[in-house]
Amino acid sequence: MPEVLKIIINSLPAEKFDWWLEGSFALRLWGLAVVVRDLDIVTNDRGIDIFRQALATYIQKDSHDPIKGWQLILNINNQEVEISSFADRTINVFGLAQEVAWQGLTVPVLPLVCIRGLYVAINRVDKVLAIDKFIKG
């Protein structure tokens, strides 16, 4: 996955925009020992347009749902990448992402407590328990 993340970050324009890494890879960046099967990225509608332009050659699916928002499915080096717009405007965590240094990259990721809250909201008990165990040491 590191090489896929490098391709993504190196393809993005220099201008700043809201996005963060989500899912298991985000947990890995915070130090949890989890299995990572794909990359999940969350952004807003402007960010979807930026990712769409920067990574056009990798897009396999580009879809929109009035409730779920935009979703891009990419295949980069035979690895799946899912980029979604943040559809639920009642849960606003934009501006909370922190830049984490990892293998020579600077990666935006939500604080662990925010990730835990999102997993609580979608009833992913396994992830919540893993985060709680990690925090307790």
Side-chain angles (χ1 to χ4, degrees):
M1 286 297 169
E3 59 281 343
V4 173
L5 191 54
K6 285 179 186 177
I7 289 170
I8 293 169
I9 290 173
N10 291 333
S11 297
L12 296 175
E15 72 178 283
K16 295 282 186 185
F17 65 100
D18 288 321
W19 72 277
W20 63 84
L21 195 61
E22 197 170 71
S24 297
F25 204 95
L27 295 177
R28 170 84 53 88
L29 290 179
W30 286 119
L32 279 79
V34 294
V35 175
V36 178
R37 293 186 177 90
D38 63 0
L39 287 180
D40 299 300
I41 294 173
V42 175
T43 188
N44 54 21
D45 291 344
R46 177 176 171 260
I48 283 285
D49 289 338
I50 292 170
F51 278 109
R52 185 181 287 121
Q53 288 178 358
L55 301 166
T57 59
Y58 301 104
I59 296 174
Q60 292 190 321
K61 183 179 177 185
D62 186 341
S63 62
H64 183 265
D65 179 277
I67 296 171
K68 296 180 182 177
W70 285 101
Q71 182 183 52
L72 304 175
I73 304 294
L74 292 74
N75 182 317
I76 303 176
N77 293 350
N78 294 317
Q79 299 290 317
E80 183 176 297
V81 178
E82 181 180 323
I83 304 172
S84 303
S85 64
F86 195 72
D88 187 348
R89 304 299 187 218
T90 62
I91 303 172
N92 185 357
V93 292
F94 283 102
L96 298 179
Q98 300 174 347
E99 292 186 340
V100 174
W102 184 77
Q103 294 193 7
L105 299 172
T106 301
V107 184
V109 63
L110 292 177
L112 198 51
V113 66
C114 290
I115 295 171
R116 184 188 183 284
L118 292 173
Y119 279 128
V120 167
I122 62 171
N123 200 29
R124 286 295 307 268
V125 176
D126 58 328
K127 299 288 187 181
V128 173
L129 293 174
I131 292 168
D132 289 347
K133 182 178 177 183
F134 178 79
I135 290 171
K136 291 178 184 173

